[in-house]
Structure formats: C-alpha cells, structure tokens
Amino acid sequence: MTDLPGIVVTGASGRMGQMLIRTILASDKAKLVGVVERAGHDWVGQDVGVAMGGAPLDLHVTDDALEAFSKAQAIIDFTAPAATVAFAGIAAQARAVHVIGTTGLSDDDLAQIKAAARHAVVVRAGNMSLGVNLLVQLTKKVAAALDEDYDIEVIEAHHRHKVDAPSGTALMLGEAAAEGRGVSLDAVSDRARDGITGARERGHIGFHAIRGGDIVGEHDVMFAADGERIILRHVASDRAVFARGALKAALWGQDKKPGEYDMVDVLGL
C-alpha cells in the first residue's frame, strides 16, 4: 500500500468530492492521503469518514492545501475557478499531477493554469467520462463530413445546482464541431436566443442549457438538415463515471512530463 500514489481530493463536501473519496477508497491502485475544504467550512477538522456519515477513516479535513498537497502525488479538483487557479499554483510547487474537472474557467484562469503546467502535469477536461470523450471525437468527425446545410445544435441538461452554462462538456462538444468544420467556435457560437432573433445564421453552432431536479448530465449534438436529423447523445446516470475517469487521469499522469493534457490523451483516443 505504501507504494501506491497518494491522492488529495479538494472540495471534499461536494457531490463530486464525496464520490471521488469513495472511488479512491475502493481502489487498489491509489490511496487517499488528504481532503481539502475551504476555510470556515463545517467539515474542516472533522474525520472525513464521520463527516460523510460513515465510520472514521483517521483522515481529517483540512483547509491547508499547501500542507495536504505536499504529501500527494496527485490532486483531483472539481471545485470553482478561483479555487482551481490557486490549487494549480500549489500543485505545481508540489510537482503533483493536477486533475481538473472544474468548469466555467475564464481565459485568464486558463492562462494561469497553463503557466502552472510548465512545472507539473495538468490534466484538464470538461468531462472525465470515456463515453463523453468518445462523443467528442464522433462530433468532430461528423462535423467534418457534413457541410453547412446541416445546422449544429448542442443541448445539455444538468441538476438545478449547477452554476455555469453552457456546461464544460457542451463547450467541449461545440469546440469539436467547430474544429471539424475548420472554424473558430467564438466566431460561430450562439449562446442565447430570445425574442425576435431573425432566421438562424448558416454555419452557426447553437447552445441550449436545461437545469432541473437531480439530472447528472445529458448531452445531445444535433445535426439538422432539410429532411433529416442526426443526433449524437450521451446520458450519465451516475457521477461515478466521472470519478473513475478522474482517478484514471491521476494515475496516468504519474510518469508524464510537465504540461497540459486532456482525457483524449489519457484514453489514447
């Protein structure tokens, strides 16, 4: 057990944080060496097992990321943009693999993460599941095969608590479609339609976000032309698929050179 890579989970109290903790504890390929929450959170100082409603694990939640990361070979981070940017710098100091599932990152956030990746491995993806990353590759191929007679629409649905839209996965799919078409997504993205918008612009890629209930994640990419539609779809019914993918990324990154990677690299797609 002592030779297994040690992993720290940030945002321990969140849905993904708790799923990640359970996934690592159940794994025979890694060990949980730290759990981090923001300063002032009720979980700080508690045994994480007890905080999650189970048996003690002899591992206490901390708000000291620097101290926690110093013991780790990898950090798995599904938190918020500001926290992720701060964690990227600390993970780089620790030379630990930083697996980032956080979405809603700005261009400035991404630039700071890129700087951190000069010193450590960063694996960042809007979605960590195998199925979604296969869908991304399929979207790129279909978009490349079809001309602008086929309108592209990306429709995503998530639970009521999700704070960003479009989802990181929807943007991954939009980027893939744009790349397949040989255009910049920024130049052809339609993020909102309301009122008298006029006719749909040829070649644009539309995005639609649904929020409600406890939907884990659903994504459709529709290619619609006169007389036919092609719909590529992925439905996640359990967050465990994201946790397993994130753990796979953390293990994959152990022998890699510093730099930015994504799940396409991890999965060899």
Side-chain angles (χ1 to χ4, degrees), residues 42-60:
D42 290 345
W43 280 29
V44 174
Q46 290 193 54
D47 183 288
V48 67
V50 174
M52 289 173 60
L57 296 173
D58 195 27
L59 185 64
H60 289 77

Side-chain angles (χ1 to χ4, degrees), residues 66-207:
L66 181 60
E67 192 271 338
F69 290 11
S70 68
K71 303 173 184 176
Q73 282 71 57
I75 318 302
I76 303 182
D77 175 19
F78 285 70
T79 54
T84 290
V85 169
F87 291 147
I90 300 170
Q93 290 179 50
R95 300 300 189 265
V97 175
H98 188 189
V99 177
I100 300 173
T102 303
T103 58
L105 296 160
S106 68
D107 289 344
D108 183 60
D109 296 333
L110 294 174
Q112 294 183 68
I113 291 169
K114 186 178 185 69
R118 292 200 295 264
H119 307 287
V121 172
V122 173
V123 182
R124 183 180 65 82
N127 194 298
M128 298 284 175
S129 85
L130 170 61
V132 161
N133 284 278
L134 288 171
L135 178 61
V136 168
Q137 298 305 304
L138 288 169
T139 297
K140 187 186 305 182
K141 289 186 176 183
V142 174
L146 301 176
D147 63 21
E148 291 185 352
D149 286 342
Y150 287 80
D151 300 320
I152 302 175
E153 297 285 310
V154 181
I155 306 102
E156 54 101 344
H158 285 85
H159 53 88
R160 65 169 67 95
H161 302 289
K162 187 167 179 60
V163 298
D164 59 309
S167 69
T169 303
L171 292 173
M172 284 173 60
L173 293 166
E175 289 283 2
E179 186 176 343
R181 285 265 172 95
V183 297
S184 164
L185 181 60
D186 288 342
V188 298
S189 176
D190 280 338
R191 299 288 185 89
R193 298 183 184 126
D194 185 32
I196 307 300
T197 62
R200 188 188 197 283
E201 289 209 40
R202 181 177 171 85
H204 276 209
I205 297 172
F207 290 86

Side-chain angles (χ1 to χ4, degrees), residues 238-255:
D238 189 335
R239 287 182 180 81
V241 299
F242 311 130
R244 290 194 295 267
L247 176 57
K248 184 179 181 72
L251 297 173
W252 176 88
Q254 292 304 306
D255 60 354

